Amino acid sequence: MEENYQPHEIEAEVQLRWKQSTTFKATEDDSREKFYCLSMFPYPSGRLHMGHVRNYTIGDVISRYQRMQGKNVLQPMGWDAFGLPAENAALKNKVPPAKWTYENIDYMRGQLQRLGFAYDWDRELATCAPEYYRWEQWLFTHLYEKGLVYKKKSIVNWDPVDQTVLANEQVIDGCGWRSGVPVERREISQWFLKITQYADELLECLQTLEGWPEQVRVMQQNWIGRSEGLQFSFDVEGGLPCMEVYTTRPDTLMGVSYVAIAPEHELAAIAAETNQSAASFIEKCKQRKVAEAEINTAEKEGVATGLFALHPITGEKLPIWIANFVLIEYGTGAVMSVPAHDQRDWEFATKYQLPIRQVVFPKDESQQCDVSQQAFTEKGVLKNSAQWDGLTSEQAFIAISENIETQQRGQRSVNFRLRDWGISRQRYWGCPIPIIYCEDCGAVPVPESDLPVCLPEDVEVTGAGSPLASMTEFVDVPCPKCGRPAKRETDTFDTFFESSWYYARYCCVDQQEGMLDERANYWLPVDQYIGGIEHAVLHLLYARFFHKLMRDEGLITSDEPFTNLLTQGMVLKDGTKMSKSKGNTVDPEQLIEKFGADTVRLFTMFASPPDHSLEWVDTGVDGSARFLKKLWRFVYSHCESSQSLAGINHQDLNTEQKALRHKIHTTLKKVSDDIGRRYTFDTAIAANMELLNELSALKEQSAVDHAVIREGLEAVVLMLSPIVPHICFVLWEALGHTTEIESESWPQYDEQALVQENIELMVQVNGKLRDKITVQANAEDEVIKTTALNSEKIQNHINGKPVKKIIVVKGRLVNIVV
RNA sequence: GCCGGGGUGGCGGAAUUGGUAGACGCGCCGGAUUCAAAAUCCGGUUUCUUCGGAAGUGCGAGUUCGAUUCUCGCCCUCGGCACCA
């Protein structure tokens, strides 16, 4: 063993040993409990950032700990390789996206390997490889046959110069981020996946995900947005088609004073034929942007159509208004407006002087309620509501709904905020949608035998639209049905498509005959998933949806993909998120070069618990490096010592030795809980630092001293091995072991060493700490009370006052109340 | 606006079930070693103090023998969602 810690030498050497021994290769084994630990795979952007390092270190610590628990652990890694940055880089550097991506993957794989993560690299996958994406094309065609896929027109941001759809984030001040020209709202035909058909199950299963953070479950719940209400129709004057509305407050039906429709509603178009102001208002709304934030801040505006709807109970004529706040996508695109009981309706009514009719009043009559100031949106008791007067909102919900149902005018129904998932992207670097358009046969899915539809990789990206559209060798194909000339779809899948099922593919990455095989059922569901909170809704919802699609395709048996979810906090510097644009990034590679991988791993785990944000402090890294040096030198001097090594018989130890063993085993107990249950790696590390401090405080004078210190050092090395695996690998061998530390079990604490003869108790007077006493661990309460009262300091604080009560908390404290 | 985190020394943070507030680390101060420096080691480090103590976990109340922890009302901050009828 070298006298000084040389991280770079030992890390390279240990990594080679792991590779030679195929230590982390995972194989299905029914005789052992499996543990599938997965960190969200990276986009190959070029180099790792600190967020990656933190994410993957957390996963690695959990994986290595579970391995020491005797579990059969799978920890894979791969690449979320399709996406827009590759096209941007291509434009900038004149490199094809495929080349750029594969080079980045090679570089970043090297970085991950230098960090020593215990991945089974045989299962590595990249989503841009045809062997991978062919199976999602296959699934898509199956979903098409099942009717879970459809094509419809939807409104998008269209950049007229770049000839492409832009994401909302790419529209800056209403203009394309690169072209700088105003974007248009354009209706484009796109493919959709019927995620709404799974809305109920996606919502219900959230309750079973007890291993997920409450925050993420709530976010998904809100996103799915289930509501119960009544859908019914208004007759419209003049023989026009009747108008469907949806409301969650049927109890307010008698307070309706107008009806509002979306500018895209069919009645709006009818009105526009004769009403010039309606026509120009609809035109104005078309100009507005798609970005929802813009819509929200826009002032409520509308125009009367001149048309009238008839109230389903009273027959009263209600004006129909076109309003910019009514969304065509939600419900029926039309709402019954009750200004007295809905704040939006109230604002609109106030602006256009429409009547405000209060029909619900507070249950508590003393409660203030003035609908001329604002809407009263709470539930209450009905008045001004004909036969329903006196009913509560809850009773009226049922009674009024039943009335409408009896009239056969509508029915109670459930609505979701969730909309179907638009998966078409007019972009090049993605998975081709396996569809062929034939003039006679329409949209025809590519037959299974013709899959995969490979994306041509050697292309020139110009920035104007997708290069696929102009590649006749890609586009021109015979129709699979009739054989006549047809055109291939040139849109690609949203890249969330690839990331929705990669976790399953890792289980059987070499399977060439099918999407998944029986090995997926061995490993799934993922026992521990780790990633950023930014994926709380999109990725984690799509993956749950895909899991159910694959289940219903008969590919897997479980209902949910991820049993436990850990959302790691952001890496901050100077109080804000590390990012290139802010110029406050820290390059992990430079840190590894300076300190070695173990120090970087140690610091990222030590600085804060994984689910909190991590404040990066450069000098903090020095502390972690110092600790590892200290550990190394301690083991070195221990091993160089000429002291012989005795056996340990706890009963025969002296007080100091017993105290040290007590520290060793309480630390073992605490760290097992910190790493195994709490995932607070920071406190686990702190406890080991404390233990090492105490071990080094003992002046070694005997073979038994030497043995107790040896026991402590071995415990520290084993406990830290999931966090800093390289140094622990070497120290374990230095401590005389001939087997690799990766085959060791997690150390167990010795109950006998936890027992103490004497314990220290806090003594409080009126809840304030005044003294400490030492008593026998098994002392009776009476003895403890007497000892506490005998203390001189305590007597000073009691100061002759009568003692009212003495509270003894076993093993902790005594509180004397005077 | 709604939902969810969070607010503790100079700094990152600990205190797991209501029971020693400030573990561990950084920084700083003092000392040892050194020709000197780096590195290393030892000691100190919440504030105030008449050196007896006193106060102290965003602010204000409350429950309790005892509150960083529980309840109520505020303030600040971070994150998410947002015209969803």
Side-chain angles (χ1 to χ4, degrees), chain A residues 258 281 284 299-304 321-325 345-355:
Chain A
Y258 65 101
F281 182 71
K284 185 181 164 193
E299 204 189 329
K300 291 177 185 39
E301 280 186 272
V303 62
W321 285 67
I322 304 171
N324 64 349
F325 66 86
D345 296 347
W346 186 91
E347 283 169 30
F348 194 83
T350 306
K351 181 167 177 180
Y352 294 107
Q353 280 127 42
L354 294 157

Side-chain angles (χ1 to χ4, degrees), chain A residues 247-315:
Chain A
T247 180
T248 54
R249 292 292 302 273
D251 56 310
T252 64
L253 181 62
M254 299 306 281
V256 174
S257 58
Y258 65 101
V259 187
I261 59 176
E264 300 84 0
H265 196 275
E266 59 170 333
L267 279 176
I270 292 169
E273 288 168 13
T274 52
N275 182 332
Q276 188 49 48
S277 59
S280 56
F281 182 71
I282 292 168
E283 196 50 42
K284 185 181 164 193
C285 288
K286 266 192 191 162
Q287 301 303 318
R288 72 184 170 178
K289 289 151 221 148
V290 182
E292 302 210 345
E294 308 258 350
I295 297 169
N296 297 336
T297 51
E299 204 189 329
K300 291 177 185 39
E301 280 186 272
V303 62
T305 57
L307 304 175
F308 289 88
L310 302 175
H311 194 283
I313 306 294
T314 64

Side-chain angles (χ1 to χ4, degrees), chain A residues 648-672:
Chain A
I648 295 176
N649 186 344
H650 191 77
Q651 301 304 333
D652 301 338
L653 300 180
N654 65 32
T655 313
E656 253 190 324
Q657 292 161 346
K658 276 185 180 165
L660 197 51
R661 277 205 92 219
H662 180 260
K663 183 69 186 177
I664 293 168
H665 290 271
T666 49
T667 304
L668 273 171
K669 191 176 180 183
K670 179 186 168 45
V671 172
S672 303

Side-chain angles (χ1 to χ4, degrees), chain A residues 239-250:
Chain A
L240 291 167
C242 61
M243 184 180 73
E244 290 275 318
V245 299
Y246 172 77
T247 180
T248 54
R249 292 292 302 273

Side-chain angles (χ1 to χ4, degrees), chain A residues 54 57-58 601-608 681-682 685 723:
Chain A
R54 190 177 190 207
T57 306
I58 294 165
R601 294 172 58 122
L602 183 67
F603 179 68
T604 51
M605 292 301 95
F606 181 56
S608 64
F681 312 119
D682 55 331
I685 294 164
I723 299 165

Side-chain angles (χ1 to χ4, degrees), chain A residues 606 670-671 681-693:
Chain A
F606 181 56
K670 179 186 168 45
V671 172
F681 312 119
D682 55 331
T683 52
I685 294 164
N688 273 290
M689 288 173 166
E690 262 184 83
L691 176 55
L692 194 71
N693 287 343

Side-chain angles (χ1 to χ4, degrees), chain A residues 36-241:
Chain A
Y36 184 0
C37 184
L38 182 66
S39 295
M40 289 182 187
F41 65 168
Y43 177 79
S45 56
R47 0 183 79 215
L48 293 182
H49 53 68
M50 283 317 303
H52 290 129
V53 173
R54 190 177 190 207
N55 193 160
Y56 303 144
T57 306
I58 294 165
D60 201 44
V61 172
I62 295 170
S63 294
R64 288 171 179 271
Y65 173 81
Q66 291 295 338
R67 178 194 181 93
M68 293 177 86
Q69 296 293 321
K71 307 260 179 79
N72 186 25
V73 174
L74 167 60
Q75 194 189 196
M77 182 44 71
W79 310 95
D80 187 14
F82 275 138
L84 195 57
E87 292 183 54
N88 295 337
L91 207 58
K92 200 172 152 195
N93 309 324
K94 303 276 170 229
V95 183
K99 187 169 186 285
W100 182 83
T101 302
Y102 288 122
E103 284 173 2
N104 286 348
I105 287 175
D106 287 340
Y107 190 79
M108 289 170 77
R109 185 191 304 108
Q111 291 190 303
L112 290 175
Q113 286 169 341
R114 254 168 289 153
L115 280 156
F117 299 130
Y119 297 136
D120 178 356
W121 283 105
D122 291 350
R123 293 173 187 259
E124 178 183 0
L125 61 79
T127 58
C128 62
E131 307 85 72
Y132 180 82
Y133 64 69
R134 68 174 296 182
W135 297 112
E136 66 194 44
Q137 292 177 336
W138 173 88
L139 182 68
F140 178 85
T141 60
H142 278 236
L143 296 175
Y144 183 89
E145 303 300 338
K146 281 186 174 176
L148 285 165
V149 164
Y150 65 95
K151 201 173 191 197
K152 76 162 188 199
K153 283 193 166 182
S154 80
I155 296 163
V156 295
N157 300 303
W158 181 258
D159 187 318
V161 171
D162 285 352
Q163 293 286 300
T164 186
V165 165
L166 298 179
N168 283 345
E169 305 80 62
Q170 296 167 330
V171 180
I172 297 155
D173 296 329
C175 299
W177 65 309
R178 230 186 36 229
S179 68
V181 302
V183 297
E184 296 168 6
R185 265 163 75 85
R186 186 179 275 203
E187 267 200 315
I188 282 198
S189 205
Q190 306 209 81
W191 289 98
F192 285 83
L193 239 51
K194 281 193 188 166
I195 191 171
T196 51
Q197 196 155 315
Y198 284 79
D200 255 323
E201 199 198 336
L202 287 166
L203 186 65
E204 273 170 30
C205 287
L206 275 179
Q207 288 166 0
T208 68
L209 296 176
E210 283 159 17
W212 283 39
E214 182 64 20
Q215 189 193 2
V216 176
R217 286 155 68 179
V218 168
M219 280 165 77
Q220 290 211 356
Q221 194 179 316
N222 293 341
W223 186 267
I224 296 169
R226 184 182 195 273
S227 67
E228 288 179 16
L230 177 70
Q231 185 167 329
F232 67 98
S233 61
F234 282 91
D235 290 332
V236 180
E237 261 198 347
L240 291 167

Side-chain angles (χ1 to χ4, degrees), chain A residues 230 396-408 410 412:
Chain A
L230 177 70
F397 185 110
I398 295 165
I400 293 177
S401 296
E402 280 171 355
N403 179 295
I404 294 288
E405 283 168 349
T406 310
Q407 288 190 52
Q408 301 209 327
R412 274 167 278 190

